[in-house]
Each structure stands twice: as C-alpha cells, then as structure tokens.
Amino acid sequence: LRVAQTIAIMLPDDVREVLDAFIISDAKLSEISQKVEEEIVAGLEQKGGSSLAMLPSYVPELPDGSEAGQYAVIDLSGKNLRIMLLTLKGTGCEPDTISNNYILPSTVMKGTGDQLFTFIVNCLHKFLKQFDLLEANLSIGFVFSYPCEQLSIRSARLLWWTKGFDIKDCLNKDVSKLLEDALELNMSTRAQIKAVMNDTVGQLAAAAHRYGPECTIGVVIGYGCNSSYLEKTERIKKLDTANYPHKEMVVVTEWEEFGANGELEDVLTPFDREIDAASVHQGKQMVDKLTGALYLGEVCRRVLAQLVLDRLLFDGQECEKLDERDTFPTKYILEILSAADTNKACRRICDELEVPSHSSQDYAIIHEVCHRISLRSASIVAAAIGALLRHLGSSRVKIGVGGALVQFHPTYMGMLKEKITLVAPVTCHWEVVPADEGSARGAALIAAVAEKLNL
C-alpha cells in the first residue's frame, strides 16, 4: 500500500481525478456494510425479500476431521471443470488427492444443458477409467458454483447463471437431476451423487476441517465473489423446518447480487456502467462486476483506454488493442502488482499490447490503476464480511478466504484485512485465514458428512 501511495503522488492531477472515483471513503464503507447487514436479515426472513438470496444449503454441520473414505468430486466453476478423487483418512491425517482439470469451450458455456452435462460426464468417464474406478461404488460431491435454490442436500434448482454462462434451458431445473440423467445416458458407473453445493460451501467445509469449529465463514474471491456461513436454523425464518431437525445450517449469501436495488449506485464509475451495459445480466451481479477476476481486468482496460483518449497515457498515441474488449486480462493486474520490477513488467505488457512507445511515467499510471481497482474490490468484500461478523455476533470467528484472485494477488489479503478492521464489531476477535484447499476437498467432506448423518 505504501509503495502504491508513493507512486500516486507522482501522478498528474488529471489522472488522479479519474482514479479518485474508485476511492471508497470510510464513511461510505460503513454505510455499505450496514446495508449488507440489513439485506442479510431480510433475506433470511422472506423469500424474495432481499437482494441477497440467503439460500439454505441443507448442510447441517461442518466436518470435524473424523471423516474417512474415498470420494469423487465434480467441481464446476467458471471456465474450469475439475474432477477429483479424494481419500479421506480421518482425524489428523491429510487426505490423498488426484485431480484433472478441463477447460469448457465457450460454445458449451452458452449452448444447451445437454451439451454441458454430456461434457461433464465425458470428463468424469475419462477420469474414472484412467484409475480403473468405473465400477467403484463412489459417492460424488458435486460443486456447482451458481445460484441455486437448494431443495435438499442432494438437489438444487438453478436460479440464474453467473461467470459467463448463459444456458437458458437449464434455468429452474434440478442440476443434480440433469447430471444424474447424463450419467445414466452416457456412461455406466456405480458412482452416485451424495451432495450438491455451491463452491463457497465446499470451501467453508475445507477451511473448517483445517482450522476447527471457529471457522464459520467462507469467502470465495475468484471469477466472482460469494460467501457462506453457519447459521442458527431458528434465524432462517423463511425455512420450513418441519423436515429439518438440525439446529444449524450453512447458508449461501449470494451477495454478488447486492446492488441490484441501487445500493452501490454511489460507488459506480462510468467504466462500471459501461461494463454492466455490455454484460449478459444487466443490473445484476454488481458485486461480481466490482470485485471479481472476470471483470477487474476489463475495468482497468477501459480506464487505460480513456486515459489514452484524454492524452494522459502514452502521450495520447493510439493503442488499438486497448480499444478491444478483454485485451487487458486480470492476470496483467496480478503480474504488475507482483513484479519485483514494476517497470519491466509494464514494459512487457505494453509491448504485448503493441503500444508504439511508453515510458516510466506510463508504468506508474498503469500500476496505480491496477492498485486502485484492486483496493476497491477488497473494500467492498470487506464491507460484506463486516456485515456477516456483526450478524453472527460471535466472540471469535475465523474467516476462510480463498479463490484465484486472493490466492495470486500479492496485496489483496492485506488490503482486505485492513478494511475489515474498519467495519468489524469491536467485540469480535476475528481472523482471516487462507482457504487454499479449494471447494473440491470440501465437497468430499460434505459428502462424507451426508453419509454419516444418513441424509
């Protein structure tokens, strides 16, 4: 932070004026956090009563470390599909893991449900065949990282797509049933779906397994941003508890939808409005658009392109690539802010963008753009975490934070902690812990919990 602030002092006033639009004051941060807390309560009380869906997961408890057995995991998040085999060995033992990653073609992400689930099943078939497990009686934990109405621990109805997906014939359908149908149609295996969950639930389970019972909040900051936490069942007023005898349940906040009712209007810049207007889901998923790796690079690109147009960057020399969408990926932000030599990293990226000529002053501007947009992201996530901490009212809480953005961004975790301090209740001893085991491990643990409880 200190380095970035030193660089900012060197920037021209006109550049600073553009970038100051990304600053969220302490007062505004507190206001946002308070609004999130209000939406949390409203979302628990009434279905459709809040911009936060506050979705019940029907997961009644988090793993305690005693879980054992062999489990398959299907983890669908963004463009990545991960198939994993985990062998849980009980208390004090690290699980054995084997995994393969597959990239979904864009045609599948915007095609049909049949194309999507056939692709998933084909990848699963290859994986199980590779390890001679087609006939094994494996339980499957299915991580489906999109907003769903959970009908039971193994059944979830898709509400809407995020992270670049737009497959209309899957909407309002049970994704677990779609997967089961594809399994029956495309392959012969004895594997069965034991649990379906959001990636935040899987990550929370993995973090709780590692850090113990004080870890009751899980946050994923990757392509998008979402969270889950362990809630008292009695506080989920909208839930029919007749067939749910457990005292607690993991709830998925779906806080990426916060802002759909204008709660973030004051912090949106013209660049954010352009991105929203060009998105598949206009006016929705505003937190994702301000915080997630799917969008941060594009925000930077639009800012840099405007600075070129205003003759404040590259001496106003035209840079055609900067005028093209998605030519400044979020990985550039991570590379620039991670570099021991910022000038060298910026020089290479400018060359890749075919900028005719560029200078150290340009590199300072690019660095500051990346920093400011990252800081705003961390600030908004911190406001939401602070709201959850106040809502829980616990004296000690560990917050498992993971996802590709926080994992590879060199300063994100530090900025996040600094901003949480401004909005967290003073009576709570909170600790942010890295949850880098990922949601796949947690899915196996949740499947084991479901087996243990005969769910």
Side-chain angles (χ1 to χ4, degrees):
L1 278 171
R2 285 195 297 271
V3 172
Q5 288 163 356
T6 300
I7 291 173
I9 293 170
M10 301 161 51
L11 299 178
D13 290 343
D14 289 344
V15 173
R16 267 190 277 175
E17 184 178 343
V18 172
L19 297 186
D20 282 351
F22 291 93
I23 295 175
I24 298 178
S25 68
D26 292 353
K28 176 57 67 174
L29 193 70
S30 296
E31 180 185 322
I32 292 170
S33 189
Q34 185 62 46
K35 287 180 179 178
V36 173
E37 187 179 5
E38 292 169 3
E39 293 298 301
I40 287 171
V41 174
L44 290 171
E45 289 184 348
Q46 182 180 347
K47 185 177 178 179
S50 166
S51 60
L52 274 64
M54 303 302 291
L55 300 174
S57 72
Y58 289 87
V59 174
E61 64 181 58
L62 294 170
D64 61 13
S66 65
E67 295 76 19
Q70 195 170 54
Y71 299 87
V73 174
I74 298 170
D75 186 354
L76 179 66
S77 181
K79 299 176 183 178
N80 300 312
L81 172 68
R82 176 185 290 184
I83 309 291
M84 182 179 284
L85 179 71
L86 287 96
T87 304
L88 304 175
K89 299 179 178 181
T91 305
C93 296
E94 185 70 10
D96 289 337
T97 63
I98 303 170
S99 68
N100 281 346
N101 292 312
Y102 309 87
I103 303 297
L104 271 78
S106 57
T107 52
V108 171
M109 294 175 68
K110 296 183 179 179
T112 66
D114 180 62
Q115 288 174 314
L116 173 63
F117 287 97
T118 298
F119 179 87
I120 292 172
V121 167
N122 286 342
C123 292
L124 178 65
H125 184 275
K126 290 176 190 175
F127 181 83
L128 294 179
K129 186 176 181 181
Q130 180 182 350
F131 298 103
D132 196 25
L133 289 169
L134 283 174
E135 296 301 315
N137 190 20
L138 291 174
S139 293
I140 298 175
F142 181 25
V143 181
F144 188 77
S145 305
Y146 306 89
C148 289
E149 179 186 11
Q150 202 85 21
L151 307 174
S152 72
I153 198 169
R154 63 180 70 186
S155 178
R157 183 173 65 87
L158 176 64
L159 298 177
W160 62 83
W161 286 108
T162 59
K163 304 170 188 172
F165 275 80
D166 188 25
I167 305 175
K168 292 181 173 58
D169 64 359
C170 288
L171 295 174
N172 297 309
K173 292 183 179 178
D174 183 347
V175 295
S176 188
K177 179 70 164 57
L178 293 175
L179 179 57
E180 286 176 340
D181 290 347
L183 282 168
E184 290 179 11
L185 186 64
N186 293 283
M187 65 181 286
S188 57
T189 177
R190 297 177 64 194
Q192 293 184 330
I193 299 168
K194 185 59 69 171
V196 58
M197 71 211 70
N198 185 282
D199 57 345
T200 63
V201 177
Q203 182 171 281
L204 173 57
H209 182 260
R210 178 177 176 183
Y211 296 108
E214 288 182 358
C215 189
T216 54
I217 298 176
V219 180
V220 175
I221 313 169
Y223 283 111
C225 180
N226 199 3
S227 67
S228 64
Y229 71 103
L230 191 62
E231 179 64 280
K232 292 181 177 67
T233 303
E234 64 186 20
R235 297 178 78 177
I236 313 174
K237 304 293 186 184
K238 64 183 178 183
L239 182 69
D240 181 2
T241 57
N243 297 313
Y244 189 82
H246 309 281
K247 292 183 178 180
E248 294 180 310
M249 181 190 291
V250 174
V251 170
V252 182
T253 65
E254 296 298 346
W255 69 25
E256 79 278 1
E257 284 295 331
F258 179 76
N261 297 326
E263 300 97 334
L264 293 170
E265 192 69 20
D266 291 349
V267 302
L268 296 180
T269 68
F271 310 104
D272 302 312
R273 298 182 197 281
E274 289 172 6
I275 286 175
D276 181 47
S279 69
V280 174
H281 305 287
Q282 292 183 25
K284 296 181 177 294
Q285 299 153 24
M286 297 310 298
V287 168
D288 277 0
K289 290 167 184 173
L290 297 175
T291 66
L294 189 63
Y295 297 97
L296 293 189
E298 180 63 5
V299 179
C300 280
R301 181 195 70 80
R302 288 176 182 268
V303 173
L304 295 174
Q306 185 61 50
L307 292 176
V308 172
L309 196 62
D310 294 341
R311 305 191 66 81
L312 297 170
L313 186 67
F314 308 141
D315 287 330
Q317 299 173 99
E318 185 177 356
C319 177
E320 291 184 3
K321 282 200 172 183
L322 269 183
D323 291 329
E324 299 171 9
R325 188 171 176 175
D326 298 327
T327 51
F328 197 95
T330 300
K331 73 168 188 172
Y332 280 174
I333 298 176
L334 308 183
E335 290 170 2
I336 289 167
L337 297 181
S338 298
D341 186 339
T342 300
N343 284 358
K344 184 177 180 180
C346 288
R347 188 181 305 116
R348 174 183 58 78
I349 289 168
C350 286
D351 287 342
E352 290 179 12
L353 292 170
E354 299 175 6
V355 180
S357 64
H358 35 89
S359 67
S360 57
Q361 176 71 5
D362 296 321
Y363 307 151
I365 292 172
I366 294 169
H367 182 283
E368 184 64 10
V369 171
C370 293
H371 166 69
R372 289 286 186 95
I373 290 169
S374 298
L375 178 58
R376 185 183 66 168
S377 168
S379 299
I380 292 171
V381 177
I385 290 173
L388 263 185
L389 289 172
R390 293 193 306 276
H391 172 74
L392 284 175
S394 302
S395 59
R396 301 184 71 87
V397 179
K398 290 181 180 177
I399 308 151
V401 177
L405 184 60
V406 73
Q407 185 177 353
F408 296 109
H409 194 298
T411 59
Y412 200 100
M413 193 71 96
M415 294 188 295
L416 182 66
K417 292 175 183 177
E418 180 181 327
K419 294 299 180 179
I420 292 174
T421 303
L422 300 175
V423 290
V426 293
T427 55
C428 177
H429 180 276
W430 56 270
E431 181 183 359
V432 173
V433 293
D436 50 12
E437 293 88 353
S439 54
R441 178 179 295 196
L445 290 161
I446 294 293
V449 168
E451 283 190 342
K452 180 176 69 174
L453 299 175
N454 295 315
L455 299 177

